[in-house]
Amino acid sequence: MAPVYIAIIGLGGVGKAFLSQLSRLSLPTATKPTVIFASRSSKQLYTKSYDAIDATNLDSSSSSLLSLPDLTAYLADAPGKVILVDNTSNQDVADAYPSFLKKGISVVTPNKKAFSSSLELWNDIFGSVSAQALVYHESSVGAGLPVISTLKDLVATGDQITKIQGVFSGTMSFLFNTFAPVSGSGAGKWSQIVSQAKDAGYTEPDPRDDLNGMDVARKCTILARLAGLKVQGPESFPVQSLIPKELQSAGSAAEFMEKLPQYDGEMEKYKEDAAKQGKVVRFVASVDVANDKVSVGLEMVEKDSPIAALRGSDNIFVFHTQRYSSSPLVVQGSGAGGEVTAMGVSADLIKAIERLS
Ligand SMILES: NC(=O)C1=CN([C@@H]2O[C@H](COP(=O)(O)OP(=O)(O)OC[C@H]3O[C@@H](n4cnc5c(N)ncnc54)[C@H](OP(=O)(O)O)[C@@H]3O)[C@@H](O)[C@H]2O)C=CC1
Ligand SMILES: N[C@@H](CC=O)C(=O)O
Ligand code: NA
């Protein structure tokens, strides 16, 4: 059997957790993968002769930097099957998936960018998939929760999706569950809780990508496309941003975080408005397949609703389908963080290896 090689791009919160899970994967010895390439934004580690590398040594590496086309050529010439694990949120890497796939390199990733940008890129990616070049992206929605696989199974077995709704962001869930809990007055100011979410590894590399609603909009785009809607992209439907107007053009993420405390009052107002109605405010998403409508934004929800009952960084995905019409299929649990996201990536890797073997 040909050896299986892995190239890992991105060793941040998810990448590091993935690396530690990789050493414990339950696979037959003959199919155990060998890591031949690892990179961060300005470091790469590999050898010309495709030797096994120790990715934990990446920071002391002096390997010369390969461009994405050079990396594609390097991996395409490897003497075995190659799986690229993209643990970045980088658009350029995502844009290169069709080139990797066309060269027989499979892709496993939690990166949402490739699947939620233009429909053209989506079609190019899935048009480039073959028996030798697979794509798995479970953790791009709901981290390791079985959301993509469940939706694909429903569709592949002939069910009709009517609507998918819920809380699709670990960051937003944590923020509102902490800031506006069902009982009590909340555990701090909005900006402090945003910092906690960032420190816990729930946010995107730039937390503004969560707060502007785009992370949830990207997940909705992926789910909508898998459910059969031709959504053009995350900007083609209404998305509510929680970024204060005055900070929309703030420079760096650090600058944004520094100024955010000045606008804590805006979120207090939402909390108070909901409390006056005996409700709590939550960031809710809806992919209404039957009516071809997608929306993302704040809603006042009843305190005894399943959405209000979420804890920590939990997500909830409620699938209403033709089969699950009287009682929806619900997927719920921790929806962000390095370990649970890496679990989805590692499980995808196992599936890819099993299918390639
Ligand atoms: N964290 C979570 O809970 C979840 C994350 N995801 C997705 O997982 C991915 C990773 O998230 P996370 O680990 O939290 O993010 P981090 O910011 O912690 O890590 C990102 C990593 O990508 C590297 N990187 C960025 N651009 C490039 C590039 N062009 N070439 C090589 N490396 C690059 C960074 O390098 P450097 O170290 O040099 O900065 C860093 O190591 C994202 O797509 C995110 O949306 C999905 C579900 C949940
Ligand atoms: N930033 C995202 C990470 C997972 O996709 C979130 O908070 O859900
Ligand atoms: Na998932």
Side-chain angles (χ1 to χ4, degrees), residues 218-229:
R218 287 188 178 280
K219 290 166 180 161
C220 287
T221 302
I222 298 172
L223 296 179
R225 286 175 177 171
L226 289 173
L229 296 184

Side-chain angles (χ1 to χ4, degrees), residues 24-43:
R24 289 173 276 137
L25 290 191
S26 172
L27 276 168
T29 312
T31 60
K32 283 232 170 10
T34 303
V35 181
I36 54 165
F37 176 94
S39 70
R40 294 178 52 185
S41 49
S42 55
K43 281 273 179 193

Side-chain angles (χ1 to χ4, degrees), residues 31-108:
T31 60
K32 283 232 170 10
T34 303
V35 181
I36 54 165
F37 176 94
S39 70
R40 294 178 52 185
S41 49
S42 55
K43 281 273 179 193
Q44 297 184 350
L45 178 59
Y46 59 94
T47 70
K48 288 199 169 129
S49 44
Y50 303 100
D51 302 314
I53 56 137
D54 179 355
T56 57
N57 289 337
L58 175 60
D59 286 342
S60 52
S61 162
S62 55
S63 300
S64 59
L65 295 186
L66 299 174
S67 64
L68 282 166
D70 290 346
L71 174 62
T72 314
Y74 168 76
L75 297 178
D77 285 345
K81 294 166 182 176
V82 180
I83 301 173
L84 175 84
V85 181
D86 171 19
N87 289 320
T88 74
S89 59
N90 188 275
Q91 184 72 53
D92 293 339
V93 178
D95 289 343
Y97 292 176
S99 311
F100 285 117
L101 292 163
K102 283 176 186 134
K103 291 283 183 187
I105 299 159
S106 296
V107 176
V108 166

Side-chain angles (χ1 to χ4, degrees), residues 191-272:
S191 56
Q192 290 166 340
I193 303 169
V194 173
S195 293
Q196 287 169 25
K198 187 173 188 312
D199 294 345
Y202 300 151
T203 67
E204 292 306 293
D206 184 338
R208 289 174 292 186
D209 292 338
D210 294 285
L211 294 175
N212 66 9
M214 272 301 128
D215 173 76
V216 175
R218 287 188 178 280
K219 290 166 180 161
C220 287
T221 302
I222 298 172
L223 296 179
R225 286 175 177 171
L226 289 173
L229 296 184
K230 299 256 171 296
V231 173
Q232 290 304 319
E235 278 152 6
S236 63
F237 49 85
V239 177
Q240 184 175 3
S241 169
L242 304 186
I243 307 247
K245 256 196 219 89
E246 295 79 355
L247 294 187
Q248 263 156 16
S249 53
S252 66
E255 200 179 314
F256 169 77
M257 292 299 285
E258 200 183 300
K259 292 187 175 156
L260 190 59
Q262 295 169 32
Y263 302 90
D264 279 337
E266 292 188 11
M267 295 311 299
E268 284 293 338
K269 174 94 175 54
Y270 286 118
K271 181 160 106 174
E272 282 163 18

Side-chain angles (χ1 to χ4, degrees), residues 94-240:
D95 289 343
Y97 292 176
S99 311
F100 285 117
L101 292 163
K102 283 176 186 134
K103 291 283 183 187
I105 299 159
S106 296
V107 176
V108 166
T109 185
N111 185 350
K112 290 165 268 272
K113 296 275 165 67
F115 312 101
S116 57
S117 299
S118 69
L119 253 182
E120 195 188 356
L121 178 58
W122 171 275
N123 290 332
D124 202 4
I125 289 169
F126 290 104
S128 306
V129 166
S130 68
Q132 298 308 312
L134 312 170
V135 174
Y136 281 96
H137 59 105
E138 179 58 81
S139 283
S140 64
V141 180
L145 294 178
V147 176
I148 304 267
S149 51
T150 300
L151 178 53
K152 281 188 165 177
D153 285 350
L154 288 168
V155 172
T157 55
D159 203 352
Q160 296 277 342
I161 313 297
T162 320
K163 196 189 242 191
I164 311 167
Q165 56 190 163
V167 172
F168 301 173
S169 159
T171 297
M172 290 295 198
S173 188
F174 175 80
L175 294 180
F176 286 99
N177 298 340
T178 313
F179 177 67
V182 170
S183 57
S185 60
K189 296 214 158 83
W190 176 255
S191 56
Q192 290 166 340
I193 303 169
V194 173
S195 293
Q196 287 169 25
K198 187 173 188 312
D199 294 345
Y202 300 151
T203 67
E204 292 306 293
D206 184 338
R208 289 174 292 186
D209 292 338
D210 294 285
L211 294 175
N212 66 9
M214 272 301 128
D215 173 76
V216 175
R218 287 188 178 280
K219 290 166 180 161
C220 287
T221 302
I222 298 172
L223 296 179
R225 286 175 177 171
L226 289 173
L229 296 184
K230 299 256 171 296
V231 173
Q232 290 304 319
E235 278 152 6
S236 63
F237 49 85
V239 177
Q240 184 175 3

Side-chain angles (χ1 to χ4, degrees), residues 250-324:
S252 66
E255 200 179 314
F256 169 77
M257 292 299 285
E258 200 183 300
K259 292 187 175 156
L260 190 59
Q262 295 169 32
Y263 302 90
D264 279 337
E266 292 188 11
M267 295 311 299
E268 284 293 338
K269 174 94 175 54
Y270 286 118
K271 181 160 106 174
E272 282 163 18
D273 287 350
K276 278 182 201 150
Q277 299 173 41
K279 297 183 179 178
V280 285
V281 60
R282 295 292 182 265
F283 201 75
V284 178
S286 166
V287 178
D288 186 344
V289 183
N291 295 301
D292 197 356
K293 267 175 96 173
V294 182
S295 62
V296 173
L298 291 177
E299 281 183 24
M300 311 291 180
V301 303
E302 299 292 344
K303 286 184 174 178
D304 59 358
S305 70
I307 283 178
L310 295 178
R311 295 285 171 264
S313 63
D314 283 4
N315 284 189
I316 184 168
F317 296 84
V318 182
F319 292 90
H320 299 272
T321 78
Q322 210 168 56
R323 280 184 205 135
Y324 289 90

